[in-house]
């Protein structure tokens, strides 16, 4: 648990032990739990927006997510990347208390997920990827309903957000496109100025102008201390707006790191001219043969590659850094 | 309270349609009594000789030769069956509609506990069934008033009370289905209501089925029995009330523990 709370370690790949203590469902080590309880004191509450440790969720015999662990700091915009079906939405729904999980521990804004779910949701704004509201209600009624259930008067902020996003409050939900429903969802998620925003593919369906407005809103919220946890497929957005990101593949976390470090991997695109075969190295993948050249991806040590190239003696060698898309495909 | 009002508002059309249709039908049938009055005595005598048929409808206990008896035998069928179907439809829709309509990601991510969500929805269900009873009662009273006849008010209220509990029991069973399903179990709810109604008819004819009176709530909400005996079967009513509580608690137990899909 001490490892979990060490944010430096969370910048690296980290596989925690399976345990939890929030809701008493797991038979966890008591001393470990009490030590963690001490560490999850007020100080921690103020600094961490999300703490997930060893989260495991299965759907019957099917895989959900396995042993997921990471921390989202207060005020940061954190990206959550992965291909379809990797477990992004499952993780988000566990955070929001919609799914019960078999193992692990989740703390959101210092509160235990599941046990103190109402307190979590009071301070959280959520925007799902497939936004749907009650079709017979108007956008304005939905926004007011969300504020009324929160017991807050958010009229002024809702008005401001509707103005910025161009939400027609009189239109019925059934008449709105996905993009317009997303705008309503942004207002619902942000009108109460939450301490944490959880956004599942937030910009899908939004036009480029609205995307710009959305990111401005999010950046400003981040500056005011709101943490933002977003899942996305749009890598350029993640590179531009997120400080750190986690990559999930087939239900398991591949890596948690700063976006800068994620991009600074050992993956290189190599092109050799004047040869027909690539060196026989296990770190080589994606070999493509052309007329008088061969290209491939390489993830090993450069000295090892150079030694192999001396034997092949190509006419020319081109070594490139991969694009962001290539990099994430590699992680996926 | 906000969610309760929201649920009541979102079901107001359904409430209006069902209560006005059933109420208006009862009102119209009461007004029709005048045109049938001449033949009612002979019909009453004929029905009373039809054995099982008259037993099933309660015509062996009250005479349809009077407006009150006509109400207890004929009109109450529409009220009981209409009310039962309305309660079944409302109960089965309240919880499962969120997952079927993909609105659960909106509702379940607002700061409400699952207990609060389910309690508000059940309270909305109680309000809807109560309002249905009030509207149909007003139509019935208007019918009696138009016919210039008086009705035994205590018996009428006893029947309305028993019918309210019958609707609650059926609705609570359907509410339970709704809490455990991801899609509205409307078909099952309507099927269950019709089954329980038919079971009530059969148990009045087939002695071997008599123990089924503890299963179907239509038995204790039978207007013929109530008007004939000027009393309601209190143990069965109590059993019905307990069933409502048990099904609500079972709904709560499962709903608070299961995964909610988006």
């Amino acid at each position: 648990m001490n490892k979990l709370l060490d944010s430096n370690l969370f910048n690296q790949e980290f596989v925690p032990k399976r345990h939890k203590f929030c809701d008493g469902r797991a038979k966890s080590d008591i001393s470990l739990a009490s030590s963690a309880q001490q560490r999850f004191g007020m100080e921690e509450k103020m600094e961490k927006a999300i703490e997930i440790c060893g989260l495991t969720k299965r759907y019957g015999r099917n895989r959900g997510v396995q042993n997921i662990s990471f921390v989202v700091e207060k005020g940061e915009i954190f990206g959550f990347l992965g291909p379809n079906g990797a477990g992004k939405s499952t993780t988000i729904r566990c955070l929001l208390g919609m799914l019960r999980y078999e193992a692990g521990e989740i703390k959101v804004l210092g509160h235990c997920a599941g046990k103190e779910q109402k307190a979590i949701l009071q301070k959280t704004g959520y925007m799902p990827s497939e936004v749907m509201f009650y079709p017979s209600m108007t956008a304005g009624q939905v926004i007011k309903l969300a504020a009324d259930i929160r017991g807050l008067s958010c009229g002024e902020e809702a008005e401001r957000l509707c103005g910025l996003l161009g939400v027609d409050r009189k239109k019925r939900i059934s008449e709105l496109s996905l993009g317009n429903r997303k705008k309503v969802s942004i207002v619902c998620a942000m009108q109460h100025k939450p301490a944490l925003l959880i956004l599942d593919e937030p910009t899908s369906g939004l036009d480029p102008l609205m995307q710009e407005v959305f990111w401005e809103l999010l950046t400003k919220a981040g500056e005011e201390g709101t943490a933002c946890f977003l899942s996305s497929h749009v890598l350029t957005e993640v590179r531009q707006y997120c400080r750190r990101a986690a990559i999930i593949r087939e239900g398991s976390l591949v890596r948690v790191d700063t976006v800068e470090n994620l991009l600074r991997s050992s993956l290189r695109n190599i092109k050799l001219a004047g040869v027909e075969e690539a060196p026989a190295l296990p770190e080589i993948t994606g070999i493509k043969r052309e007329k008088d050249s061969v290209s491939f991806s390489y993830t090993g040590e450069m000295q090892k590659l150079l030694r192999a190239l001396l034997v092949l003696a190509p006419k020319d060698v081109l070594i490139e850094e991969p694009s962001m898309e290539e990099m994430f495909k590699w992680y996926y | 309270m906000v969610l309760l009002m929201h649920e009541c508002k979102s079901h107001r059309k359904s409430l209006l349609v069902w209560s006005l249709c059933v109420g208006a039908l009862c009102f119209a049938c009461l007004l029709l009594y005048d045109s049938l009055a001449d033949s009612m005595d002979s019909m009453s005598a004929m029905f009373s000789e039809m054995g099982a048929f008259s037993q099933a409808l309660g015509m062996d206990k009250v005479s349809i030769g009077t407006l009150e008896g006509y109400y207890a035998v004929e009109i109450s069928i529409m009220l009981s069956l209409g009310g039962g179907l309305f309660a079944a439809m409302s109960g089965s829709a309240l919880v499962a509609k969120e997952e079927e309509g993909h609105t659960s990601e909106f509702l379940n991510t607002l700061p409400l506990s699952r207990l609060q969500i389910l309690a508000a929805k059940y309270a909305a269900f109680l309000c809807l069934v109560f309002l249905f009873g009030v509207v149909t009662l007003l139509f019935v009273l208007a019918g009696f008033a138009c016919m210039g006849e008086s009705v035994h008010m205590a018996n009428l209220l006893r029947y309305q009370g028993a019918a309210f509990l019958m609707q609650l029991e059926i609705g609570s069973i359907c509410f339970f289905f709704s809490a455990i399903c991801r899609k509205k179990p409307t078909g099952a709810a309507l099927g269950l209501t019709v089954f329980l109604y038919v079971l009530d008819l059969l148990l009045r004819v087939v002695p071997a089925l008599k123990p089924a009176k503890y299963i179907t709530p239509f038995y204790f909400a039978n207007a013929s029995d109530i008007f004939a005996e000027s009393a309601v079967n209190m143990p069965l009513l109590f059993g019905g009330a307990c069933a409502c509580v048990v099904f609500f608690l079972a709904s709560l137990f499962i709903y608070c523990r299961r995964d909610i899909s988006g």
Side-chain angles (χ1 to χ4, degrees):
Chain A
M1 180 52 68
N2 292 347
K3 283 181 182 177
L4 159 68
L5 297 169
D6 186 340
S7 58
N8 290 330
L9 272 170
F10 262 88
N11 287 335
Q12 307 298 322
E13 283 184 53
F14 170 60
V15 181
K17 288 174 185 173
R18 248 182 80 174
H19 57 263
K20 61 179 173 180
F21 55 79
C22 275
D23 49 12
R25 277 179 286 166
K27 292 170 184 173
S28 56
D29 182 339
I30 294 167
S31 62
L32 192 72
S34 60
S35 145
Q37 295 274 23
Q38 286 165 8
R39 291 189 67 100
F40 278 142
M42 280 306 289
E43 235 173 89
E44 292 291 338
K45 280 187 184 182
M46 297 304 288
E47 288 173 5
K48 307 278 189 280
I50 299 173
E51 294 162 272
I52 300 181
C53 176
L55 173 68
T56 298
K57 164 72 189 168
R58 292 184 200 91
Y59 296 102
R61 287 182 182 179
N62 299 324
R63 166 190 62 74
V65 292
Q66 274 182 328
N67 217 4
I68 300 282
S69 302
F70 59 84
V71 167
V72 177
E73 306 285 343
K74 213 174 178 191
E76 82 168 324
I77 301 179
F78 186 93
F80 197 39
L81 299 160
N84 292 332
K88 299 189 296 294
S89 295
T90 297
T91 307
I92 287 176
R93 285 177 187 159
C94 287
L95 275 174
L96 293 163
M98 291 179 73
L99 300 181
R100 293 178 67 79
Y101 43 94
E102 280 78 41
E105 174 201 348
I106 300 176
K107 282 215 165 200
V108 181
L109 300 164
H111 301 285
C112 281
K115 205 175 180 184
E116 300 168 291
Q117 204 58 44
K118 204 175 151 185
I120 290 172
L121 296 173
Q122 188 70 45
K123 300 174 193 171
T124 305
Y126 172 58
M127 180 179 171
S129 56
E130 298 290 326
V131 177
M132 187 49 80
F133 300 110
Y134 305 103
S136 59
M137 291 174 81
T138 63
Q141 286 171 336
V142 167
I143 292 165
K144 189 172 181 307
L145 175 66
D148 287 348
I149 287 179
R150 291 185 182 281
L152 300 169
S153 173
C154 315
E156 215 171 285
E157 183 64 5
E159 192 71 46
R160 186 182 78 83
L161 291 168
C162 285
L164 283 171
L165 294 161
V167 174
D168 184 351
R169 300 174 69 142
K170 288 177 184 165
K171 270 206 165 179
R172 283 191 187 280
I173 295 298
S174 56
E175 296 167 6
L176 298 179
S177 63
L178 172 66
N180 282 318
R181 290 204 304 273
K182 283 239 162 181
K183 291 183 202 172
V184 176
S185 187
I186 294 170
V187 179
C188 289
M190 297 183 83
Q191 63 176 340
H192 57 290
K193 297 186 176 175
L196 170 67
L197 276 165
I198 299 174
L199 312 165
D200 198 354
E201 296 176 30
T203 52
S204 65
L206 289 181
D207 65 58
L209 284 175
M210 277 306 130
Q211 286 185 21
E212 205 174 311
V213 174
F214 168 75
W215 285 113
E216 272 175 28
L217 284 170
L218 215 61
T219 309
K220 194 161 179 270
E223 285 166 5
E224 288 169 3
T226 301
C228 179
F229 177 72
L230 66 97
S231 85
S232 179
H233 289 300
V234 188
L235 304 172
T236 48
E237 284 178 356
V238 173
R239 182 165 60 182
Q240 198 172 345
Y241 297 102
C242 297
R243 191 177 70 81
R244 294 193 308 133
I247 297 170
I248 186 171
R249 185 184 62 202
E250 292 177 3
S252 299
L253 215 55
V254 176
R255 202 165 164 195
V256 185
D257 211 331
T258 60
V259 173
E260 198 184 1
N261 283 342
L262 286 173
L263 291 169
R264 202 190 297 144
S265 82
S266 59
L267 178 67
R268 292 291 180 271
N269 291 332
I270 316 283
K271 189 170 184 179
L272 306 177
V275 292
E276 288 177 354
E277 289 297 323
L281 295 172
E283 296 90 348
I284 286 176
T285 53
I287 300 170
K288 284 178 195 164
R289 290 178 186 85
E290 288 164 38
K291 200 178 174 184
D292 191 30
S293 65
V294 62
S295 55
F296 53 86
S297 299
Y298 180 71
T299 53
E301 285 176 19
M302 198 46 72
Q303 285 180 345
K304 195 176 169 185
L305 176 69
L306 290 174
R307 278 196 295 271
L309 291 181
L310 279 173
V311 179
L312 275 177
K315 282 183 192 169
D316 198 4
V317 179
L318 180 65
I319 302 175
E320 282 180 327
E321 278 196 342
S323 67
M324 191 170 188
E325 278 69 21
E326 282 175 311
M327 185 68 76
F328 282 100
K329 272 182 199 166
W330 178 63
Y331 280 120
Y332 288 4
Chain B
M1 197 64 187
V2 176
L3 187 56
L4 167 65
M5 292 307 292
H6 163 71
E7 289 298 340
C8 287
K9 270 186 197 170
S10 62
H11 284 82
R12 65 176 177 236
K13 270 186 194 169
S14 163
L15 171 67
L16 275 175
V17 169
W18 275 91
S19 58
L20 291 179
C21 284
V22 173
L25 196 63
C26 295
F27 179 75
C29 287
L30 280 171
L31 294 188
L32 276 178
Y33 184 76
D34 253 354
S35 59
L36 301 170
D38 295 340
S39 54
M40 272 301 173
D41 284 339
S42 56
M43 277 171 68
S44 179
M46 189 178 73
F47 280 138
S48 63
E49 286 169 11
M50 288 174 75
F53 181 73
S54 60
Q55 257 182 306
L57 295 177
M59 283 185 285
D60 56 331
K61 292 173 188 159
V62 290
S63 165
I64 57 169
T66 64
L67 185 62
E68 202 174 83
Y70 174 69
Y71 168 80
V73 173
E74 303 289 343
I75 309 295
S76 67
I77 294 175
M78 288 178 266
L79 277 173
S80 293
L81 207 49
L85 291 171
F86 170 70
M89 280 190 67
S90 305
S92 66
L94 274 159
V95 187
K97 69 173 180 179
E98 304 292 352
E99 280 174 274
E100 188 177 296
H102 304 287
T103 48
S104 53
E105 276 193 306
F106 171 68
L107 182 65
N108 290 77
T109 56
L110 290 170
L112 292 167
S113 65
R114 292 199 191 179
L115 167 66
Q116 282 178 309
I117 292 174
L118 215 68
K121 284 179 179 282
Y122 195 77
F125 163 68
L126 290 179
C127 292
L128 291 171
V129 172
F130 179 75
L131 288 173
F132 177 89
V134 170
V135 173
T136 50
L137 178 63
L138 290 176
F139 270 103
V140 168
L141 289 174
F144 275 103
C146 286
M147 297 297 292
E149 295 237 8
S150 62
V151 61
H152 193 295
M153 192 53 84
N155 280 347
L156 186 67
L157 291 178
R158 276 188 194 109
Y159 165 66
Q160 285 286 341
F164 174 68
L165 196 62
M166 174 268 290
Q167 290 160 20
L168 283 193
E169 189 177 335
I170 291 173
S172 298
I173 298 169
C174 299
F175 189 84
F176 171 73
F177 290 157
S178 185
I180 62 172
C181 294
R182 298 194 194 285
K183 288 193 173 178
K184 283 189 276 185
T186 313
L190 297 182
L192 175 80
T193 311
V194 174
F195 168 76
L196 290 174
Y197 177 72
V198 173
L199 190 63
D200 176 53
L201 291 182
L202 290 176
L203 75 87
R204 287 168 192 280
V205 180
V206 184
L209 286 175
K210 203 69 182 169
K213 69 179 182 182
Y214 298 108
I215 297 172
T216 171
F218 282 99
Y219 186 83
F220 64 69
N222 186 286
S224 305
D225 289 349
I226 292 168
F227 275 82
E229 294 159 21
S230 287
V232 285
N233 190 328
M234 287 310 284
L236 287 183
L237 273 184
F238 181 71
C242 289
C244 294
V245 174
V246 166
F247 278 107
F248 174 69
L249 292 178
S251 310
L252 196 62
F253 182 81
I254 293 178
Y255 186 71
C256 290
R257 279 161 183 77
R258 77 175 178 88
D259 288 346
I260 305 287
S261 62

